[in-house]
Short mmCIF file of all heavy atoms in Angstrom, two decimals:
data_model
loop_
_atom_site.label_atom_id
_atom_site.label_comp_id
_atom_site.label_asym_id
_atom_site.label_seq_id
_atom_site.Cartn_x
_atom_site.Cartn_y
_atom_site.Cartn_z
N ARG G 135 78.17 135.67 69.65
CA ARG G 135 77.52 135.09 68.44
C ARG G 135 78.11 135.67 67.15
O ARG G 135 77.80 135.19 66.11
CB ARG G 135 76.02 135.36 68.50
CG ARG G 135 75.33 134.70 69.71
CD ARG G 135 73.81 134.69 69.57
NE ARG G 135 73.22 135.96 69.28
CZ ARG G 135 72.96 136.88 70.25
NH1 ARG G 135 73.28 136.64 71.48
NH2 ARG G 135 72.43 138.04 69.90
N ALA G 136 78.91 136.71 67.28
CA ALA G 136 79.49 137.29 66.05
C ALA G 136 80.86 136.64 65.76
O ALA G 136 81.67 136.51 66.69
CB ALA G 136 79.68 138.82 66.18
N ARG G 137 81.08 136.25 64.53
CA ARG G 137 82.34 135.61 64.17
C ARG G 137 83.50 136.58 64.23
O ARG G 137 84.63 136.21 64.54
CB ARG G 137 82.25 134.95 62.82
CG ARG G 137 81.57 133.60 62.82
CD ARG G 137 81.69 132.93 61.46
NE ARG G 137 81.14 133.83 60.42
CZ ARG G 137 79.96 133.59 59.82
NH1 ARG G 137 79.24 132.58 60.18
NH2 ARG G 137 79.52 134.43 58.89
N SER G 138 83.23 137.82 63.91
CA SER G 138 84.32 138.81 63.91
C SER G 138 83.75 140.17 64.31
O SER G 138 82.54 140.37 64.36
CB SER G 138 84.90 138.95 62.50
OG SER G 138 83.89 139.47 61.63
N LEU G 139 84.64 141.11 64.66
CA LEU G 139 84.22 142.43 65.03
C LEU G 139 83.52 143.09 63.85
O LEU G 139 82.51 143.80 64.00
CB LEU G 139 85.39 143.24 65.46
CG LEU G 139 85.17 144.68 65.96
CD1 LEU G 139 84.14 144.68 67.09
CD2 LEU G 139 86.49 145.31 66.45
N GLU G 140 84.00 142.80 62.64
CA GLU G 140 83.41 143.34 61.42
C GLU G 140 81.91 142.89 61.33
O GLU G 140 81.04 143.71 61.02
CB GLU G 140 84.17 142.76 60.21
CG GLU G 140 84.30 143.78 59.11
CD GLU G 140 85.58 143.49 58.29
OE1 GLU G 140 86.40 142.65 58.69
OE2 GLU G 140 85.66 144.12 57.25
N GLU G 141 81.70 141.60 61.58
CA GLU G 141 80.37 141.07 61.50
C GLU G 141 79.49 141.72 62.54
O GLU G 141 78.34 142.09 62.27
CB GLU G 141 80.43 139.57 61.70
CG GLU G 141 79.08 138.86 61.48
CD GLU G 141 79.21 137.33 61.61
OE1 GLU G 141 79.94 136.70 60.82
OE2 GLU G 141 78.58 136.80 62.58
N PHE G 142 80.03 141.87 63.74
CA PHE G 142 79.24 142.54 64.80
C PHE G 142 78.87 143.94 64.41
O PHE G 142 77.69 144.35 64.54
CB PHE G 142 80.06 142.60 66.09
CG PHE G 142 79.38 143.32 67.21
CD1 PHE G 142 78.49 142.71 68.07
CD2 PHE G 142 79.66 144.69 67.46
CE1 PHE G 142 77.83 143.41 69.10
CE2 PHE G 142 79.03 145.39 68.45
CZ PHE G 142 78.13 144.74 69.29
N LEU G 143 79.80 144.69 63.83
CA LEU G 143 79.51 146.10 63.50
C LEU G 143 78.65 146.26 62.28
O LEU G 143 78.11 147.35 62.04
CB LEU G 143 80.83 146.87 63.35
CG LEU G 143 81.54 147.11 64.68
CD1 LEU G 143 83.01 147.47 64.42
CD2 LEU G 143 80.87 148.23 65.46
N SER G 144 78.56 145.22 61.44
CA SER G 144 77.73 145.34 60.24
C SER G 144 76.23 145.47 60.61
O SER G 144 75.46 146.09 59.96
CB SER G 144 77.94 144.13 59.30
OG SER G 144 77.48 142.98 59.99
N GLN G 145 75.87 144.84 61.74
CA GLN G 145 74.48 145.00 62.25
C GLN G 145 74.47 144.75 63.78
O GLN G 145 73.98 143.74 64.25
CB GLN G 145 73.50 144.02 61.58
CG GLN G 145 74.06 142.65 61.27
CD GLN G 145 72.99 141.73 60.66
OE1 GLN G 145 71.87 142.08 60.54
NE2 GLN G 145 73.41 140.51 60.31
N PRO G 146 75.01 145.76 64.52
CA PRO G 146 75.22 145.55 65.94
C PRO G 146 73.94 145.19 66.70
O PRO G 146 74.02 144.33 67.60
CB PRO G 146 75.75 146.91 66.44
CG PRO G 146 75.67 147.85 65.30
CD PRO G 146 75.51 147.07 64.06
N TYR G 147 72.81 145.74 66.30
CA TYR G 147 71.59 145.44 67.10
C TYR G 147 71.12 144.04 66.89
O TYR G 147 70.23 143.54 67.62
CB TYR G 147 70.50 146.49 66.81
CG TYR G 147 70.74 147.77 67.49
CD1 TYR G 147 71.14 148.89 66.80
CD2 TYR G 147 70.67 147.84 68.88
CE1 TYR G 147 71.40 150.12 67.44
CE2 TYR G 147 70.92 149.04 69.57
CZ TYR G 147 71.29 150.18 68.83
OH TYR G 147 71.57 151.32 69.48
N HIS G 148 71.64 143.35 65.92
CA HIS G 148 71.31 141.90 65.73
C HIS G 148 71.96 141.10 66.90
O HIS G 148 71.45 140.08 67.31
CB HIS G 148 71.88 141.46 64.35
CG HIS G 148 71.68 140.02 64.11
ND1 HIS G 148 70.48 139.46 63.94
CD2 HIS G 148 72.60 138.97 64.05
CE1 HIS G 148 70.59 138.14 63.72
NE2 HIS G 148 71.86 137.85 63.78
N TYR G 149 73.11 141.62 67.39
CA TYR G 149 73.83 140.88 68.45
C TYR G 149 73.68 141.55 69.82
O TYR G 149 73.81 140.88 70.84
CB TYR G 149 75.33 140.86 68.10
CG TYR G 149 75.61 140.23 66.77
CD1 TYR G 149 75.91 141.00 65.67
CD2 TYR G 149 75.57 138.85 66.62
CE1 TYR G 149 76.20 140.42 64.44
CE2 TYR G 149 75.83 138.26 65.40
CZ TYR G 149 76.16 139.04 64.30
OH TYR G 149 76.39 138.49 63.10
#
Side-chain angles (χ1 to χ4, degrees):
R135 299 194 306 279
R137 279 188 302 255
S138 65
L139 184 53
E140 218 154 349
E141 188 178 295
F142 176 85
L143 288 163
S144 65
Q145 38 176 356
Y147 283 109
H148 177 69
Y149 303 103

